[in-house]
Amino acid sequence: MTEELPLPGLHNNGAQDPDQWAPARSNRRDSYGCTRPEVGDLVAWRYAAWLVHETRPYLDVDLTDKRQAKLDASVAPLTGEKRDLAYARNRPFHLVLRHHNGPLIIKPGEERGFIRLHDGTREIHFTSWPHRNQWHRLPDPYQTCSCHGHPWPCQEIDRAVLTQHQLRKMDRLMATAQPGVCAHCLEPITTRQKTVTFPEESRLVPGAPGPTFHAGRAACWGGAEEYERAGRLADNPDVPRIASCPGITFIHERHGMPAEQRIECTAGPFCTGLHGPSGYRQETPCWNRVELAGNEGAYARPGFDCGYRGRGGGCIGGDLSGGGTSLSPVAGDLLWEAQQRRRGILP
């Protein structure tokens, strides 16, 4: 349930942040934008069309120490001719835009950046970095909305889509508070199904009891684990875990050893055993199976022990002989946080 619902039709989240807006693909000259617009181009920015009035590259004498350091950092990995080409390609330039059509959205504190000309036209000056900024150029003529005549899609369209999205999201959240319903899949829970219920008040719906998840379904267990790691443990790190373990389970590949003895968790004595139902999180193998060259072709390395050993000579997944583990006891939590950052959920 903690997953964000898809938001179709909202162009780059512009209704929540106008700087993230971009025109529809059918309303662009370039599919992916350009880094250096030319004088006379119409570019889209903050739901409006702006005319490029001036572009002027910065010379070395015009660069501040901060901009010079930023330019040097952008070409630091390169050498020789590639460095010289990248230095010229990444050099910032001064961009002057004049308001042509559409709403004039000025955020708090930006009033001084918008210059009003004698004929009432608004003008704004940018320092644009080609290796970071993408400008979407509008065709001539460009598509406009029927309600305001602004570049398509207009701000009202995105606001309407965002409102519908928020209503659907609220309906879904309210459904998680219904008794006898899984908070992830929103399906009824029968008496024969295993469940996991959080004792505290729901973090999804204030005032509602703690949500309940299917404990025997991989996807629902994943929702319960994310609910716990994302907020419950953040609110109180000492609260007893219900759907997560601070470690990662490894399976040791040793010949003749029973399966229950080959599985080990990096949390050691702090392992909660809450690693999900069968098939949710497969145990990570601690060996690196390599192919050895033989007279009759390649064959797999014999699995007489854990196989791959770290710098200290021990198994990188853990050591059943009592030597301890080479991974942190909180490896599971750290791995989850890294996954959330890659998905853009955590900063």
Side-chain angles (χ1 to χ4, degrees):
M1 183 50 234
T2 53
E3 289 286 344
E4 287 293 330
L5 293 176
L7 190 52
L10 189 60
H11 295 268
N12 291 346
N13 206 19
Q16 294 177 315
D17 184 4
D19 287 329
Q20 301 300 319
W21 173 80
R25 286 189 176 272
S26 59
N27 204 18
R28 305 180 195 175
R29 284 179 53 185
D30 318 280
S31 298
Y32 301 100
C34 68
T35 58
R36 292 180 181 271
E38 300 177 354
V39 174
D41 286 342
L42 281 173
V43 296
W45 181 64
R46 289 187 180 178
Y47 291 99
W50 297 76
L51 181 67
V52 179
H53 181 67
E54 180 185 351
T55 59
R56 174 173 49 85
Y58 280 100
L59 302 178
D60 289 339
V61 295
D62 299 327
L63 293 174
T64 62
D65 292 341
K66 184 177 181 180
R67 289 172 179 169
Q68 183 67 54
K70 189 175 180 180
L71 180 59
D72 293 339
S74 68
V75 299
L78 306 176
T79 58
E81 184 178 354
K82 292 183 178 180
R83 180 185 178 90
D84 297 336
L85 292 175
Y87 203 87
R89 184 173 59 249
N90 295 346
R91 180 179 294 275
F93 62 94
H94 186 72
L95 183 64
V96 180
L97 302 181
R98 287 187 177 178
H99 186 252
H100 180 265
N101 178 30
L104 188 64
I105 302 176
I106 303 176
K107 293 184 177 180
E110 295 181 343
E111 291 80 5
R112 297 181 58 185
F114 288 81
I115 302 174
R116 185 180 180 89
L117 304 180
H118 69 281
D119 60 353
T121 305
R122 292 281 187 167
E123 189 176 83
I124 188 170
H125 295 240
F126 282 95
T127 296
S128 185
W129 293 84
H131 67 293
R132 292 191 175 185
N133 299 126
Q134 291 284 335
W135 295 95
H136 296 287
R137 297 187 295 181
L138 296 169
D140 188 19
Y142 54 87
Q143 300 175 11
T144 58
C145 64
S146 59
C147 50
H148 303 91
H150 294 168
W152 177 263
C154 68
Q155 193 174 19
E156 293 301 322
I157 292 294
D158 273 0
R159 284 176 176 172
V161 174
L162 178 61
T163 300
Q164 292 297 323
H165 165 73
Q166 291 174 337
L167 291 175
R168 290 191 300 110
K169 186 176 181 180
M170 181 58 64
D171 291 341
R172 184 178 176 88
L173 288 177
M174 294 304 297
T176 65
Q178 299 298 320
V181 174
C182 174
H184 180 79
C185 65
L186 302 183
E187 294 182 6
I189 298 176
T190 65
T191 56
R192 300 181 60 183
Q193 292 175 323
K194 298 180 180 179
T195 61
V196 53
T197 302
F198 293 92
E200 303 87 5
E201 180 180 310
S202 174
R203 299 182 67 255
L204 304 176
V205 181
T212 300
F213 297 83
H214 283 115
R217 296 183 180 181
C220 299
W221 181 272
E225 182 181 19
E226 188 170 351
Y227 176 88
E228 182 166 76
R229 294 185 192 270
R232 185 169 179 265
L233 294 179
D235 296 339
N236 184 7
D238 298 327
V239 69
R241 292 174 182 255
I242 295 179
S244 66
C245 180
I248 302 175
T249 55
F250 280 83
I251 179 167
H252 298 272
E253 193 64 20
R254 290 188 176 180
H255 183 68
M257 181 177 293
E260 62 274 8
Q261 297 181 15
R262 291 190 286 124
I263 297 178
E264 184 177 20
C265 178
T266 60
F270 303 101
C271 176
T272 62
L274 302 172
H275 294 283
S278 176
Y280 166 60
R281 174 175 291 177
Q282 296 291 341
E283 291 80 9
T284 305
C286 65
W287 79 94
N288 183 17
R289 189 172 295 279
V290 297
E291 299 291 327
L292 301 180
N295 295 331
E296 299 180 359
Y299 59 94
R301 181 187 186 280
F304 60 88
D305 64 1
C306 288
Y308 187 81
R309 297 189 177 276
R311 295 180 179 179
C315 169
I316 63 172
D319 186 2
L320 289 179
S321 63
T325 177
S326 60
L327 292 180
S328 168
V330 294
D333 292 337
L334 295 176
L335 176 63
W336 179 86
E337 291 180 1
Q339 292 172 342
Q340 297 298 90
R341 289 191 181 94
R342 284 196 298 268
R343 293 166 58 187
I345 299 177
L346 290 180

